Amino acid sequence: MRALIQRVAHASVEVEGREVGRIGPGLLVLVCAMQGDDDAAADKLAARVAKLRIFRDAADKMNRSVQDVGGAALVISQFTLAADTRTGNRPGFSTAAPPDEGRRLYERFAQALRDLGLPVETGEFGAEMKVSLLNDGPVTIWMDSTDRA
């Protein structure tokens, strides 16, 4: 699974003009299930996101996790993170998981964060969404569940 993580002061998501998710300080997590991903990949990525130390400590160093600071997560499905831009001008998305599996793994990822004690809001899988955020830092991190053992 892939994730683009942004440390935010606040974030929200709308679908068809109605707000479906909102958080205060925490993480906006855009997440994509890739072909071949499984439950273990979703759980592993969720654990890494929850422990990612990108919040400031008393010495103003990025040394605290979203768990440490009592933050929340807004999790948005984002199949375009699977974009293959190696050739041509139009990205391909054939490496993304099929929609049914993508939805299942997206929901598993969000639940895994909840199981780790984080308040989690979500968008709507497959919907056209409007995401608003105030990036704090800015801090933006790319993660892939296959990056380390």
Side-chain angles (χ1 to χ4, degrees), residues 6 8-9 22 32 40 56 72 86 117 148:
Q6 296 181 297
V8 298
R22 169 178 293 278
C32 176
R56 292 181 184 94
R86 293 176 291 177
R148 68 175 211 211

Side-chain angles (χ1 to χ4, degrees), residues 122-144:
T122 62
E124 288 184 13
F125 185 91
E128 185 76 22
M129 293 177 273
K130 304 292 186 209
V131 180
S132 299
L133 69 136
L134 181 58
N135 194 318
D136 180 18
V139 175
T140 303
I141 306 286
W142 173 265
M143 268 193 188
D144 193 302

